[in-house]
Each structure stands twice: as C-alpha cells, then as structure tokens.
Amino acid sequence: MDLTLNVVVFQLNSNDKDLITAAAPAQAHDSVRQAWQQAKGQRHFQPSDVTRVHSTWQPADADRDFLAATFPEAEHSHLFERPEGDDWTDALEYAKRVMDEVENIKLRQRSEETFAQAERVGEWLPILHSAAEPLPFSASLPLVEGKLYFGFARVTTTPEGRIGMSHLTRSKFDAMSIEAIEELALEALGNVKSGLNFKVAPDEQLGTLATLERDGPCVASAILLDDFHEKCAEQVGADRLVVGLISPDHILIAGADSGQVEHIRQAVLTSPDTGTELVPSLLLIDADTIEVIAERPR
C-alpha cells in the first residue's frame, strides 16, 4: 500500500458492496476533492447517493469543508491522523509500522486457516526435507543419512492456490504401532503416486530429458516410490539416473552419462525456490542407492 497516496472510498446507498475507490496525493490539502473528481469519471451517480466516505488520511481543513458541503448526510471516517505542518516523516513511518503489523496478522490468520483446512480435509503425503540430522519435532526418517529426510503431513491446496500442511509430529509418530506406521506409509505413497505422469523430450545429441509431474503438490516425494527408479529408467533409457529436485513440485530426470546432466545441475544450483525445507538437490540414483551429489548453496 502506497501511504503517500490518500485512498478514498465512496460508499453508495449504504451498500457495503457498492464502493468506488480513487486516490490522490496524501499531502494535498484537497486530496479528497481530487479523489471525488476521479470517482465521478468512473460511473454516473449523484453526491446524494454517497452514504459514507472513508479515507486513508484525515482530511485537511479544505477537504472537511468540501465533505460538509458536498455530502452533508454521509458518514466520514479515516485511518490515520493527518500530521500538523508539512513534515510527514513521522506520520508515514508510523503508518507503515501499523500496516506491516496488519499484514503480519493477516499472514498468521491465513497460515492458521490453511493449517486447519489441512487437518480437516488434507491427504497424507510423504514430505521431503534437507537436514544434517532428523528434525526434533516432526517425524523425520533418513533417505540419505545426513542429507535428505522425509516425514508425513496432511496436505491441501486452498482455492487461492496456497499449500497447507499439518505435519505428523515426532511424539505422535513414536506412539504409533508398526502396523499403523505401515498403513500410513502405504496411504501416503499411494496418494503421491496418484496423478503422476512423465513429459519426455528426446534429444539425439544430449539424450532424453524427462520431467515428472503430478496433478497436485509434492511431486518430488515420488522418489520414495519403490518403482521410481524402474519407471524413470524406462523413460530415459538408462539405468543410472541423475535426478534434479528443483523444488518440491518440479523434478528433472536424465541418464547419468547423458549430455543433460549439466542442464539439470544448473537448474538445481540456480533454483529460485526458497519456500520449503527441501533444498534443491541433484541426486544420483540406481536400482539400489540414492546419493546427493550437489545442492543449491543455502
């Protein structure tokens, strides 16, 4: 939000959904009047239709006179007090702190909402994370000791496209029976297998490059599937594979001796993904082993 602008909202006919928004320089003594001139150009309505005027900044004297004369029956409200004099430094800094805190509250609320949604309707998925040792509070099992681990979480995607997760805690995992753990693992692996598909790009000079996609999040967790190596080897025509975990939702695969390896390495090392605990990684995989051979600098 640009606090150097005075954003003015004109509500029509007491309807919370019938709003016209305009803006003018906050320090202008007639910023509300300027916003009104803009608002009139957006659609046809009368001053008598306006039942409330809300502005970011308190109106100056000239604007208070304008409001009283133009909208005598309307309510007036503002978010921040207008400073006395022409120095707006302190007022703008205070307003920014307030708006930052409001945004932080909104982010926390959205996070809590997506967490609660994941708890209610999320599907169990295995979740990869990079660490030097198991996580202290979330269930964490080694895939590559000292490098790559996995746990489990209920995962959902909100209508806005945000990913919500509710991780299985270590205390709950430790209290589970062997049978319950096996049942959870089978469900989570079955879920990640659902909707998987390959996109293959053959290249006579460099060799085949495959992209593994999933109709949903966490495609990188597919490396945990017992037939992952076999399926990928079929796609690229090689037994030894280089697999790039570019992000939790982006995997590239090629033969370890192909000309595509450097392309995948660079995609890993320059990955812009910083939003998860999985560090973009380059893996060497054969029928029996998984090795981390490179990681994007942390």
Side-chain angles (χ1 to χ4, degrees):
M1 181 177 180
D2 186 354
L3 292 167
T4 65
L5 291 176
N6 189 22
V7 178
V8 184
V9 180
F10 300 92
Q11 182 187 55
L12 305 183
N13 303 310
S14 300
N15 185 343
D16 290 340
K17 296 182 179 180
D18 196 357
L19 307 172
I20 301 176
T21 302
Q27 296 186 46
H29 291 280
D30 64 343
S31 61
V32 176
R33 186 192 62 79
Q34 289 185 42
W36 168 244
Q37 295 299 321
Q38 293 180 35
K40 287 196 301 181
Q42 296 181 33
R43 54 186 277 199
H44 179 71
F45 60 97
Q46 299 298 322
S48 58
D49 296 327
V50 176
T51 50
R52 185 185 178 199
V53 180
H54 177 76
S55 57
T56 305
W57 292 97
Q58 179 186 32
D61 290 342
D63 270 336
R64 282 199 290 269
D65 292 340
F66 167 76
L67 287 167
T70 311
F71 316 107
E73 303 298 326
E75 297 180 20
H76 307 148
S77 60
H78 60 270
L79 191 57
F80 297 112
E81 297 294 320
R82 187 180 188 89
E84 296 182 4
D86 296 327
D87 187 354
W88 281 61
T89 304
D90 291 343
L92 289 169
E93 288 180 357
Y94 170 76
K96 184 179 185 304
R97 289 197 301 271
V98 171
M99 296 309 296
D100 286 346
E101 181 58 29
V102 169
E103 186 60 30
N104 288 336
I105 292 172
K106 289 180 179 178
L107 287 173
R108 288 196 297 270
Q109 289 175 337
R110 285 199 294 265
S111 178
E112 291 169 358
E113 289 168 1
T114 54
F115 175 84
Q117 182 175 335
E119 281 280 297
R120 292 193 308 271
V121 300
E123 63 176 356
W124 281 112
L125 290 173
I127 306 297
L128 296 175
H129 53 271
S130 304
E133 57 187 21
L135 299 180
F137 301 112
S138 298
S140 185
L141 303 170
L143 182 61
V144 179
E145 196 77 48
K147 287 285 187 180
L148 196 58
Y149 293 77
F150 71 95
F152 300 95
R154 287 192 178 276
V155 182
T156 188
T157 304
T158 70
E160 297 80 19
R162 294 193 300 272
I163 303 298
M165 290 190 186
S166 173
H167 290 271
L168 178 65
T169 62
R170 175 167 292 280
S171 59
K172 287 184 178 179
F173 180 81
D174 290 343
M176 294 171 67
S177 65
I178 297 297
E179 292 78 11
I181 292 173
E182 289 177 348
E183 182 178 341
L184 170 62
L186 285 173
E187 180 180 350
L189 291 170
N191 287 337
V192 80
K193 180 177 278 191
S194 174
L196 287 178
N197 64 86
F198 287 94
K199 284 189 176 180
V200 179
D203 187 301
E204 291 184 2
Q205 292 184 328
L206 298 178
T208 299
L209 178 68
T211 302
L212 184 58
E213 298 180 343
R214 179 174 183 266
D215 184 18
C218 303
V219 67
S221 299
I223 65 172
L224 295 162
L225 298 173
D226 56 7
D227 62 350
F228 175 80
H229 171 266
E230 177 186 351
K231 296 294 186 185
C232 293
E234 290 175 0
Q235 297 296 324
V236 301
D239 184 64
R240 293 176 69 249
L241 307 172
V242 162
V243 176
L245 306 182
I246 314 303
S247 77
D249 302 312
H250 188 191
I251 291 186
L252 295 177
I253 305 149
D257 297 321
S258 79
Q260 299 285 2
V261 172
E262 187 57 28
H263 166 70
I264 298 176
R265 180 189 297 273
Q266 289 304 312
V268 166
L269 297 180
T270 60
S271 170
D273 182 73
T274 58
T276 69
E277 293 175 339
L278 175 64
V279 176
S281 303
L282 189 68
L283 311 180
L284 180 64
I285 298 179
D286 60 25
D288 301 312
T289 60
I290 298 178
E291 181 184 353
V292 178
I293 57 176
E295 289 180 324
R296 189 200 61 197
R298 306 192 189 201

